[in-house]
Amino acid sequence: IESKARDIQNWEEKQQFLNTIYEKFFQGFSVKVADTHGIVYTPQPIVDFMVRSVQHILKTEFNRTLASEGVHILDPFVGTGNFIMRIIREIGATQKSALPRKYKSELHCNEVMLLPYYIASMNIEHEYYRQLGQHEPFDGICLVDTFELAEPAQTSLFSTENTERVERQKRSPIFVVIGNPPYNSKQVSENDKNKNRKYKALDDQISSTYSKDSVAVNKNSLYDPYVLAIKWATNRIGSEGMVAVVSNSSFLDQRSFDGMRKHLAKDFDRIYIYDLKGDVRKDSMREGIPIGEANTVFGLAAMVGISISFFVKGGNAKKQGIYYKAVDWKAKRTEKFKQLRNDIDILQTTLLQIEPDAKGNWLTEGEEEGFANFLRLDGGEKNPKAVFESSGLGVNTNRDDWVWNHSEEALRVNINTLLTTYNSDISKIGAPLTGKAKQKFQGEGLTFDDTKVKWSSSLIDKAARGIKGEFNDFAIRYANYRPFTKEFLYYDELLTHRRGKWASFLPKDTLDNRVICVNTAAAARPFYLLAVAQLADLHFTGDSQCFPFYTYTEDGSTRRENITDWALGEFRAAVRVGGKGLLPGPAPETKSKSKKQSGVERSGTSLPSGRSTTSTHTERERHIEKWDIFYYVYGLLHHPGYRTKYAANLRRELPRIPLPKDAAQFWAFSDAGKRLADLHVGYESAPEYDLKEQWDDSFDLRVEKMKLTKDKTFLIYNDHLTLTGIPAEAFDYRLGNRSALDWIVDQYQASTDKRSGITNDPNRADEPDYILRLIKRVTHVSVETVRIVRDIEGLALD
């Protein structure tokens, strides 16, 4: 390392080399530390841009500079010291005589780990030596957890000297906070025992501000470390100064951060945002353009959207507000760095002023104001004026590899293995625990072996309470894991992390229901939906929000329609004919029966209905009924014009439903929705599209991993079979970034989970041709879906 570093003469290249060594060390040697501390160094072009920007803002808005006396500067997450070194260089280039004073008393930084603490110390001291030719120890660095400084009392600060440094920093009037906060959000697995630390003071501040003023349901992301960092820095600079951070950009537009945006707009006089994009999940295959690691400024270390933000309090600038610039989302990392160098700093680039709306939204480009006037899809208890009375997220297992499997037999083995370990551990820890022992219990004494058990916070809590597990045959359900992919699910109160409302949607697998699942607001993928007749996983459609036609009592004995009476009245009033409330409509149909396999519903052909798809509007006159509204919603949400016009709105909130302008439009959407729902719910019994089979000399239907050719004209089923004649229309039906066939290829492959060793094999011994026939059926469903959607595409939305 020394030899290599000595050979590098360019300062920027040398820093990149040292930071790479630091980053790779932790990712290779101490993966858990790298995870919880979000270890990733900041590329030099970003550091340079931020320091130049802070210098320019100080000059123009405060009549000060980085060298000015009294401008105390703090990097709370110093890493290897890159920001402080760059600030020393900036001061040295403009007012070198100020460096001794700044270095001695007005430059501050914190680090919580010893290795980067020492690297940063040496780097900073060496940079000072380069500037002035003399060595001075740097007393401005503290070995401390920055977030803990917000707590009323700190833990041991390692040494008397370090404690004195921390106390001196706490007394300093910090004017500039600059840095790169940690990026991680949460541990991958409860088995890792690698949770982020809790900081009560900061968490309480987030709860009483950002969270309190948010209308989002899921607010967990508000407690991500970078959000804590922004809140901490906001408090630290007091009534005047600025915060400059490079961070995850989710807070700019995701719904769960609406409360945070409202407070930031109030807490600061001016906010400057430079959006570097790079959200791989969101932009992957957008407009058919592949987006990946080369488009992210942090490479593989952070595949999320990134922004540089400058939050400014006080100053003499007359302008107030939020100012924004974004790079092209298609730009590569090198192009983004080049643009940062060319723009020089945030004040010298072209900025767009943002006008937040009443909901705290900043980036509202493309949103249609009329969307807010449509009917809410789900109002919940607080708002009965909605189409559906109740909705819920998909089933959140938190242990998919254990409780989902293509094979019912394999699932039974996995569940019994897990329950054996779980019950043994309950006895081992002496559960049920009570009093302080229960409060303090964090899983000590449990078996954290990935091949024997998969813990989640809810299961650890149940273990502490001594709730024993017992295998239940009726807990095995044939359910929807991903689009057009069903597996067996073990669904019970013990092992299902979050059951959601499915106990009232489908408490038994023999009950009839239809459920519309949409991907939730702020989902990374484009809007899509799919109707089902069995349970659906949380990630069935992105993060699935599900709207059932029926809700049941938990024992399944009583059911009620979930479309509200209010919505029924609104629809009837909208299309009333001649003031009588009558309009043409088809007659009801009888329900088809679903078949069973292995005691578990497997076909998905149960079709609770409402009405026949073959009826004509002239058969009889009747009122609109609730099933008709259900299918109207499903049809309308497939309308390409609706999805295009309201794409920006659908990224921020759940769909809203416009009323039809007349009876003809209502029945056109409702009929289309009925045909689509029949296709999608009953896809396992759909006709098979006539694909051509090209065989070699062997006949083998086993699938390991299928593959579509680049032009998607051939599907390589296995080494012996290739399917041809796939119509182009099959790929026009898309669910998110993938077509239905892409989902089949992705999900129907034999795999073994690295952590648990569990194998999930989609091949069926009792139906060896199931996957082959499924491909043909889903091809038919895709082509028919495209045809039906084209039929309604010409319907104008009012």
Side-chain angles (χ1 to χ4, degrees):
I1 292 173
E2 287 180 357
S3 175
K4 176 68 175 175
R6 194 179 298 117
D7 291 339
I8 302 174
Q9 299 303 314
N10 180 278
W11 183 86
E12 182 176 324
E13 291 179 7
K14 184 170 292 191
Q15 286 308 309
Q16 183 173 345
F17 170 73
L18 290 173
N19 285 325
T20 302
I21 294 294
Y22 157 67
E23 179 184 315
K24 296 299 181 185
F25 170 81
F26 273 108
Q27 290 176 351
F29 173 73
S30 188
V31 176
K32 290 184 179 181
V33 172
D35 176 47
T36 54
H37 293 280
I39 290 174
V40 52
Y41 76 87
T42 313
Q44 199 60 42
I46 294 177
V47 176
D48 291 343
F49 181 84
M50 290 175 67
V51 172
R52 290 194 301 262
S53 297
V54 169
Q55 180 77 304
H56 198 170
I57 293 170
L58 285 171
K59 286 179 180 178
T60 58
E61 300 184 12
F62 294 96
N63 296 321
R64 301 186 186 185
T65 69
L66 289 166
S68 296
E69 188 170 358
V71 177
H72 286 254
I73 303 160
L74 167 64
D75 181 350
F77 317 98
V78 74
T80 56
N82 218 355
F83 280 98
I84 296 296
M85 286 188 291
R86 183 60 182 80
I87 288 168
I88 289 173
R89 294 181 74 205
E90 187 73 18
I91 295 171
T94 57
Q95 194 179 338
K96 190 169 286 190
S97 61
L99 260 181
R101 170 176 45 80
K102 302 297 294 188
Y103 187 78
K104 183 177 181 181
S105 60
E106 294 184 0
L107 294 182
H108 311 270
C109 58
N110 298 333
E111 181 49 54
V112 71
M113 292 180 293
L114 278 169
L115 177 64
Y117 171 86
Y118 284 120
I119 293 176
S121 294
M122 291 187 288
N123 266 338
I124 293 167
E125 290 173 8
H126 183 68
E127 183 58 38
Y128 184 78
Y129 176 81
R130 287 180 70 250
Q131 293 292 327
L132 298 181
Q134 59 189 55
H135 178 267
E136 291 287 341
F138 180 55
D139 295 333
I141 187 168
C142 301
L143 186 61
V144 66
D145 183 341
T146 292
F147 292 150
E148 197 175 77
L149 297 180
E151 302 297 312
Q154 279 84 53
T155 54
S156 169
L157 297 175
F158 304 106
S159 70
T160 302
E161 182 185 359
N162 190 60
T163 301
E164 290 173 353
R165 290 183 183 186
V166 172
E167 291 302 320
R168 184 167 66 249
Q169 183 193 113
K170 288 170 69 175
R171 293 192 299 269
S172 299
I174 302 300
F175 199 86
V176 174
V177 175
I178 186 171
N180 177 0
Y183 282 26
N184 71 313
S185 57
K186 56 182 180 288
Q187 64 183 354
V188 175
S189 167
E190 198 77 29
N191 282 28
D192 291 338
K193 300 178 71 176
N194 195 40
K195 283 187 174 179
N196 294 328
R197 283 192 57 184
K198 297 290 185 183
Y199 301 93
K200 187 177 186 308
L202 269 178
D203 286 349
D204 288 349
Q205 290 172 26
I206 296 287
S207 178
S208 62
T209 55
Y210 299 172
S211 181
K212 181 182 177 182
D213 291 328
S214 172
V215 299
V217 176
N218 188 340
K219 305 176 185 180
N220 292 340
S221 52
L222 287 174
Y223 299 89
D224 286 359
Y226 86 91
V227 180
L228 296 181
I230 292 173
K231 184 62 177 175
W232 182 90
T234 301
N235 298 336
R236 187 63 182 88
I237 63 171
S239 60
E240 190 174 50
M242 81 174 83
V243 176
V245 293
V246 54
S247 72
N248 189 316
S249 62
S250 297
F251 77 96
L252 295 178
D253 60 358
Q254 289 192 11
R255 192 184 189 198
S256 54
F257 295 91
D258 57 342
M260 179 181 179
R261 288 190 293 271
K262 293 172 188 175
H263 278 272
L264 289 175
K266 289 189 294 184
D267 291 340
F268 295 95
D269 297 301
R270 291 168 304 287
I271 298 174
Y272 304 102
I273 306 289
Y274 200 113
D275 191 349
L276 294 169
K277 302 293 184 179
D279 188 332
V280 172
R281 276 191 65 200
K282 180 179 179 181
D283 292 331
S284 176
M285 294 308 295
R286 177 176 161 189
E287 299 178 12
I289 300 170
I291 298 296
E293 183 268 337
N295 300 85
T296 66
V297 293
F298 286 100
L300 292 173
M303 304 280 275
V304 297
I306 300 295
S307 65
I308 302 171
S309 307
F310 303 90
F311 305 101
V312 184
K313 288 185 188 180
N316 55 24
K318 294 181 181 179
K319 61 180 181 179
Q320 307 292 306
I322 303 166
Y323 301 87
Y324 176 82
K325 174 171 182 172
V327 300
D328 187 343
W329 63 271
K330 300 185 290 291
K332 296 289 195 292
R333 179 188 310 115
T334 52
E335 295 170 324
K336 295 176 184 181
F337 290 163
K338 182 179 180 180
Q339 189 168 339
L340 285 172
R341 294 187 185 100
N342 291 339
D343 286 342
I344 303 175
D345 67 63
I346 193 68
L347 296 186
Q348 297 194 59
T349 189
T350 303
L351 296 167
L352 172 71
Q353 185 165 7
I354 290 173
E355 295 292 342
D357 65 16
K359 298 179 181 178
N361 296 322
W362 287 1
L363 303 181
T364 58
E365 183 181 1
E367 290 190 15
E368 295 287 336
E369 292 183 10
F371 191 76
N373 300 325
F374 297 158
L375 275 59
R376 293 174 64 96
L377 204 55
D378 175 21
E381 295 178 3
K382 296 181 181 179
N383 189 352
K385 293 184 177 182
V387 178
F388 291 90
E389 185 176 323
S390 179
S391 74
L393 292 171
V395 177
N396 179 6
T397 73
N398 217 271
R399 50 183 60 81
D400 283 10
D401 292 302
W402 287 88
V403 301
W404 284 95
N405 206 288
H406 284 287
S407 164
E408 184 180 353
E409 181 182 351
L411 179 63
R412 290 174 180 275
V413 171
N414 297 337
I415 297 301
N416 278 306
T417 298
L418 193 156
L419 289 176
T420 298
T421 305
Y422 171 82
N423 288 329
S424 173
D425 279 3
I426 288 179
S427 302
K428 189 167 59 175
I429 64 174
L433 305 176
T434 57
K436 289 185 178 179
K438 181 181 176 182
Q439 292 177 4
K440 292 181 179 180
F441 182 67
Q442 297 294 321
E444 294 83 356
L446 297 178
T447 301
F448 288 92
D449 182 340
D450 289 328
T451 65
K452 295 180 179 179
V453 68
K454 171 65 168 67
W455 295 102
S456 62
S457 57
S458 63
L459 192 59
I460 289 176
D461 178 65
K462 289 165 186 170
R465 289 154 55 194
I467 300 174
K468 290 198 172 182
E470 185 176 342
F471 187 88
N472 180 5
D473 276 309
F474 293 105
I476 297 182
R477 310 280 288 272
Y478 191 53
N480 299 277
Y481 185 61
R482 294 293 181 267
F484 300 105
T485 304
K486 288 181 183 166
E487 297 185 19
F488 291 99
L489 165 67
Y490 191 82
Y491 177 74
D492 76 341
E493 290 188 46
L494 180 72
L495 297 184
T496 308
H497 182 60
R498 298 281 185 266
R499 297 177 78 203
K501 294 185 178 180
W502 286 89
S504 65
F505 295 173
L506 278 164
K508 297 180 180 179
D509 65 345
T510 56
L511 297 174
D512 282 337
N513 210 348
R514 280 192 172 180
V515 185
I516 297 173
C517 298
V518 306
N519 58 338
T520 57
R525 302 176 181 88
F527 174 79
Y528 67 105
L529 72 162
L530 200 56
V532 299
Q534 295 90 14
L535 275 68
D537 184 69
L538 174 64
H539 302 302
F540 175 64
T541 53
D543 285 339
S544 307
Q545 189 76 19
C546 304
F547 301 86
F549 182 79
Y550 293 121
T551 56
Y552 288 85
T553 54
E554 192 143 351
D555 63 359
S557 61
T558 307
R559 75 181 183 192
R560 58 181 295 184
E561 293 171 329
N562 190 38
I563 301 285
T564 64
D565 292 338
W566 175 86
L568 181 62
E570 291 292 303
F571 276 93
R572 284 179 173 175
V575 297
R576 188 167 288 126
V577 176
K580 296 181 179 179
L582 297 176
L583 45 89
E589 71 167 352
T590 57
K591 287 180 278 188
S592 62
K593 294 180 180 179
S594 58
K595 68 177 182 177
K596 297 277 188 169
Q597 294 185 18
S598 306
V600 179
E601 184 178 345
R602 195 167 188 171
S603 70
T605 56
S606 176
L607 305 176
S609 56
R611 51 193 174 78
S612 167
T613 57
T614 59
S615 315
T616 68
H617 288 172
T618 58
E619 288 179 17
R620 59 180 295 187
E621 286 190 338
R622 68 182 184 91
H623 285 294
I624 290 176
E625 301 298 343
K626 290 184 177 180
W627 268 115
D628 305 320
I629 296 172
F630 183 86
Y631 292 126
Y632 171 89
V633 169
Y634 198 61
L636 180 128
L637 293 181
H638 278 86
H639 189 280
Y642 174 89
R643 292 193 184 189
T644 300
K645 184 172 184 178
Y646 302 111
N649 301 81
L650 292 170
R651 284 195 295 269
R652 194 173 302 284
E653 58 181 300
L654 288 169
R656 288 176 177 261
I657 307 301
L659 288 166
K661 62 182 180 180
D662 54 34
Q665 188 187 66
F666 175 84
W667 288 112
F669 277 126
S670 188
D671 283 348
K674 176 66 166 63
R675 296 199 304 274
L676 288 167
D678 287 348
L679 266 176
H680 299 161
V681 171
Y683 74 90
E684 286 184 295
S685 57
E688 296 176 21
Y689 195 90
D690 186 22
L691 299 179
K692 301 297 184 289
E693 301 178 11
Q694 294 183 356
W695 290 89
D696 65 6
D697 295 335
S698 302
F699 180 79
D700 183 3
L701 287 167
R702 178 173 176 78
V703 164
E704 291 295 334
K705 185 174 183 179
M706 295 182 285
K707 182 181 178 181
L708 279 161
T709 56
K710 256 187 178 179
D711 59 5
K712 299 200 171 183
T713 55
F714 296 84
L715 193 159
I716 302 170
Y717 183 89
N718 60 23
D719 290 341
H720 311 290
L721 171 62
T722 298
L723 298 173
T724 65
I726 304 172
E729 293 90 339
F731 299 102
D732 291 337
Y733 174 42
R734 302 188 69 78
L735 299 110
N737 292 321
R738 292 174 176 161
S739 69
L741 282 178
D742 285 316
W743 278 108
I744 298 296
V745 170
D746 179 74
Q747 292 296 312
Y748 282 87
Q749 55 178 286
S751 62
T752 300
D753 178 58
K754 291 181 180 179
R755 296 181 73 115
S756 64
I758 290 174
T759 294
N760 195 353
D761 187 345
N763 295 282
R764 298 181 176 182
D766 58 337
E767 283 185 276
D769 61 347
Y770 173 81
I771 299 174
L772 176 59
R773 298 180 71 184
L774 176 68
I775 292 166
K776 296 177 180 181
R777 284 169 170 158
V778 171
T779 301
H780 167 84
V781 168
S782 300
V783 172
E784 283 299 298
T785 297
V786 170
R787 185 182 63 79
I788 295 169
V789 169
R790 284 174 180 166
D791 286 345
I792 61 172
E793 190 170 8
L795 292 174
L797 294 174
D798 207 3

